[in-house]
C-alpha cells in the first residue's frame, strides 16, 4: 500500500510542479509577446544569444498557429494539469474516465511541444527559453500520465506495456532528453562548436 501511495504522490507532484512551471513559463512568454507588440524595436529580455532568441521565435507565424499566441494554449493546459496534480496531492482519487482526460491533456501537450520543438529547430532556426521549459516539463507529464492510465488497463497487451514502462520510466525520460539535446546541439553545431 505504501508503494502505491508513493507512486501516486510522485505522479501528483509531477503534474503539479510541471504544470506550475509550464504555466509560469507560458505566462512569462505571453507577457514578452505583449511587450514586443507594444514596442517592436526593443529587444526582449529573453533574447540571450544568437540561438536562444525569443523575439525571432515569437514574431514567427508558427508561434501563433491558431491566430493567437501558442503560449495561451500552454497556459491553459499547464494550469489544468497543475490543478489536477494539486488535487491528487490533496487526496483526490482519479477515476478511469478522468485518467483518460489527464492522458488526453498530456498527449495534446506533448504532441504540440514536440511539433514546436522541431519547428523551432528546423523552420524558425531559433529557440525560445520559455518554450524550452514547456518542452522539458511536458515529457514527464506525458510519460507518467500514460503510465497511470495503463495501470488500470486489464488487457494482456496493455499490462505488458505498463509493466515495462513502470520499471523503465527513468530510462525513457533520460533517453528522450538526450535525443532532444543531441538534436539541439547538432542543429546549432556551427554556433556551439566553431
Amino acid at each position: 500500500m505504501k508503494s502505491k501511495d508513493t507512486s501516486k504522490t510522485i505522479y501528483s507532484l509531477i503534474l503539479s510542479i510541471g504544470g506550475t512551471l509550464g504555466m509560469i513559463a507560458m505566462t512569462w512568454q505571453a507577457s514578452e509577446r505583449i511587450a514586443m507588440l507594444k514596442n517592436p524595436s526593443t529587444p526582449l529580455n529573453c533574447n540571450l544569444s544568437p540561438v536562444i532568441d525569443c523575439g525571432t521565435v515569437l514574431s514567427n507565424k508558427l508561434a501563433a498557429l491558431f491566430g493567437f499566441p501558442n503560449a495561451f494554449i500552454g497556459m491553459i493546459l499547464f494550469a489544468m494539469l497543475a490543478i489536477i496534480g494539486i488535487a491528487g496531492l490533496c487526496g483526490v482519487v482519479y477515476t478511469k474516465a478522468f485518467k483518460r482526460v489527464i492522458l488526453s491533456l498530456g498527449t495534446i501537450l506533448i504532441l504540440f511541444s514536440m511539433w514546436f520543438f522541431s519547428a523551432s529547430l528546423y523552420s524558425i532556426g531559433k529557440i525560445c527559453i520559455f518554450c524550452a521549459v514547456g518542452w522539458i516539463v511536458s515529457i514527464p507529464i506525458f510519460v507518467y500520465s500514460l503510465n497511470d492510465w495503463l495501470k488500470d488497463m486489464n488487457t494482456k497487451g496493455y499490462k505488458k506495456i505498463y509493466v515495462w514502462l513502470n520499471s523503465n520510466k527513468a530510462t525513457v525520460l533520460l533517453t528522450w532528453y538526450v535525443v532532444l539535446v543531441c538534436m539541439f546541439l547538432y542543429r546549432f553545431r556551427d554556433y556551439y562548436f566553431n
Side-chain angles (χ1 to χ4, degrees):
M1 186 72 173
K2 196 171 188 178
S3 124
K4 199 174 199 179
D5 292 338
T6 303
S7 67
K8 183 182 186 298
T9 301
I10 290 170
Y11 177 45
S12 296
L13 281 169
I14 286 171
L15 289 176
S16 57
I17 293 170
T20 300
L21 290 174
M23 185 181 61
I24 290 168
M26 295 303 105
T27 303
W28 198 339
Q29 182 188 61
S31 72
E32 290 288 336
R33 174 121 179 171
I34 291 166
M36 183 178 78
L37 292 172
K38 284 182 180 177
N39 194 351
S41 62
T42 304
L44 299 179
N45 295 325
C46 53
N47 292 348
L48 305 177
S49 74
V51 170
I52 300 173
D53 181 357
C54 293
T56 301
V57 174
L58 295 180
S59 63
N60 192 287
K61 65 182 179 185
L62 294 175
L65 191 62
F66 300 109
F68 54 86
N70 296 345
F72 294 166
I73 298 169
M75 287 166 59
I76 294 166
L77 289 174
F78 282 122
M80 291 169 72
L81 290 164
I83 291 167
I84 291 167
I86 292 166
L89 289 172
C90 293
V92 171
V93 177
Y94 309 136
T95 64
K96 284 183 182 183
F98 195 65
K99 287 181 180 187
R100 272 187 243 127
V101 170
I102 300 170
L103 179 60
S104 297
L105 293 172
T107 302
I108 292 166
L109 188 64
I110 197 68
L111 290 173
F112 200 77
S113 293
M114 294 301 101
W115 166 77
F116 200 67
F117 174 78
S118 61
S120 294
L121 286 186
Y122 302 111
S123 295
I124 302 170
K126 305 284 181 188
I127 297 292
C128 170
I129 194 73
F130 303 116
C131 296
V133 171
W135 303 331
I136 290 166
V137 299
S138 66
I139 296 168
I141 287 172
F142 171 72
V143 169
Y144 276 79
S145 296
L146 177 62
N147 186 68
D148 193 55
W149 177 77
L150 286 169
K151 182 172 48 179
D152 291 336
M153 296 296 105
N154 293 323
T155 59
K156 191 175 180 182
Y158 283 129
K159 280 293 180 197
K160 285 183 178 180
I161 297 168
Y162 167 72
V163 168
W164 181 86
L165 183 59
N166 194 51
S167 59
N168 291 290
K169 287 188 297 270
T171 304
V172 170
L173 293 174
L174 183 62
T175 303
W176 202 325
Y177 287 132
V178 167
V179 168
L180 294 184
V181 168
C182 289
M183 289 173 68
F184 172 82
L185 291 175
Y186 183 76
R187 171 63 180 87
F188 299 113
R189 64 193 177 280
D190 292 339
Y191 177 74
Y192 286 108
F193 302 112
N194 269 342

